[in-house]
Amino acid sequence: MAIIKPMIRSNMCINAHPVGCAKECENQIAWMKAKKAERGIKSVKEGGNGPKLVLVLGCSTGYGLASRISAAFEYGADTIGVSFEKAATEAKGGTPGWYNNEAFDRAAKKEGLYTATFSADAFAHETRAMIIDEIKKNGKKVDLVVYSLASPVRTDPDTKVLYKSVLKPKDKPYAGMGIDIMTDSLKESAAEPATEEEIANTVKVMGGDDWRLWIKALSEAGVLNEGCRTVAYSYIGPKLSHAIYRDGAIGMAKLDLEAAAKDLNKQLADSVGGAAYVSVNKGLVTRSSAVIPIISLYLSVLFKVMKAKGNHEGCIEQMERLFAERLFTGENSAAGKVPVDSENRIRIDDWELQDDVQAEVDKLMDGINNENLKERCDLEGYRHDFLAINGFDIAGVDYDKEVTNMASLD
C-alpha cells in the first residue's frame, strides 16, 4: 500500500501510476470515438471499408498505442499488439506500457472487439511465429502492419549478438541546451561523435532490418491480405537538431528504414498489391527525447508556438490524421491513394515544419536564457506530457490516494 509519486532520475521518469496510465489511455479512446463521429467514419461492423485486422509492433506507448486506438476505435478493426513489458504484481509496479495494454484490452473487449496483446521480444523469430499462429487463429488476414518499435537494444535473431543504439552525432561533438525537468531551467548537454561501429550498431537496432524480417515472415506465411500496407515511423525535425538527430547515428538508421520502405513497397506491390511507407511524424515528448541535447528545449518552444496557432497535436491526433487523411482516404474509408513527398514518405510533420511555425520558433530560440525561459516556452505543457507518459498529472486521478494493488487499473 503506497502513495505513488513520480520518481525522476536524469530527466527520466522511472516509475508509473497504474490508475493514471489507464485513465490517459481511456481519454485517448474517448477522443478517438468523438473524432470518428465528427468525421462520420463507419466502423467495420457499421459497413465501413476500413482495415479489418491490424498488427501493431510496438503497441504500448506513444505512436504505436495511438495507432492501435485509431484502428480499433475509429475503424472497428481487430488488433494484435506486440511489446516487451514488465508486468505488474500486487506489490510491484509494471511498465507504463503494461498498464496501457491492459487498459486498451479492457476497453476493446467492452466494445466487442477482438484484441490479442503479447509481451514478447519483437525482434525474435519465435515471436514472429507466435504472431502468425495468432493471425491464423483469428481467421482474417492482416490489412495493415504498423512498425513502431523503439528499443535501445536488439538481439540479432540469427547470430544472437546484442546490438546497442546511441544518440550521438557524426564526425564532431555536439552540444546544446536542454530543459532540466526537475528545475524548469536550462541545462547544457553534450555528446561525442559516434564511432563507425556505434553507427553500424544503431542502424542494426533502429534501421529497417527487423521490419524486413517481419514482412518477409508474414508474407511467406500467407497472412497478408490483398492490398495490405505497412507503415513505419520516423522523424526529421528542424535544421537546428539535424547534427544530433537526422545527420547523426539515429539519422543513419532512419535512412536505412526509408531504404527498407522502398524495397518492401515493391515486394508488397508484387505479392499482394500492397504498399510500404515511412511516415514522418511530429516531434513529441518521449522517454528518449527528454535526454537529447536541444530537443527538449526545441519541443517546449514548438508547443508554445503551435498551441498559439491552434494546430498543436499529440500522438493521438497525429495518428488519427495519418489514418483518416493519408492511409484510408478511399470510398467509405477504404485504402485510398496516399499523398507522399518526393521520397515516397508520408508527411504528418507538415504543420510542425510550416515556414511560419519554424520562423516563430527560431525567433523565440534566439537569445533564450533562464530569465526569459518561462515566457518563451510552454514549460507547463512539456512537463505535463513528460509526466503523462508514465500516468502522472492526469486530470481526475487522485494522486494522494493510496494504491493497494499495483496490478489494478482502478
Side-chain angles (χ1 to χ4, degrees), residues 165-197:
S165 64
V166 295
L167 274 163
K168 291 184 177 183
K170 283 181 66 183
D171 305 326
K172 58 184 180 181
Y174 180 86
M177 303 303 293
I179 291 176
D180 186 332
I181 202 73
M182 296 295 291
T183 61
D184 283 348
S185 63
L186 292 173
K187 180 180 180 181
E188 185 173 34
S189 54
E192 291 298 312
T195 64
E196 289 300 319
E197 182 181 12

Side-chain angles (χ1 to χ4, degrees), residues 19-129:
V19 179
C21 286
K23 179 65 174 173
E24 177 63 2
C25 184
E26 290 162 3
N27 288 343
Q28 292 185 42
I29 290 170
W31 183 90
M32 190 62 71
K33 288 180 178 179
K35 195 67 179 179
K36 172 185 182 297
E38 179 186 316
R39 287 192 188 270
I41 290 173
K42 291 182 179 179
S43 69
V44 172
K45 289 181 180 177
E46 294 166 338
N49 295 325
K52 294 178 177 60
L53 179 62
V54 175
L55 170 61
V56 183
L57 304 168
C59 66
S60 63
T61 59
Y63 282 126
L65 176 62
S67 301
R68 198 177 186 192
I69 289 172
S70 184
F73 294 98
E74 190 166 30
Y75 293 88
D78 291 343
T79 61
I80 298 173
V82 182
S83 63
F84 194 61
E85 307 298 336
K86 186 184 82 173
T89 65
E90 187 172 337
K92 288 188 176 182
T95 55
W98 186 84
Y99 293 120
N100 292 339
N101 286 341
E102 290 287 301
F104 175 90
D105 284 342
R106 182 171 71 175
K109 288 172 183 174
K110 188 177 178 181
E111 294 281 321
L113 295 169
Y114 167 90
T115 176
T117 305
F118 295 85
S119 179
D121 177 9
F123 299 129
H125 290 318
E126 294 81 4
T127 301
R128 282 184 265 275

Side-chain angles (χ1 to χ4, degrees), residues 1-4 90-91 401-406:
M1 185 178 292
I3 294 174
I4 306 171
E90 187 172 337
K401 182 180 179 181
E402 288 190 334
V403 176
T404 58
N405 181 356
M406 292 298 295

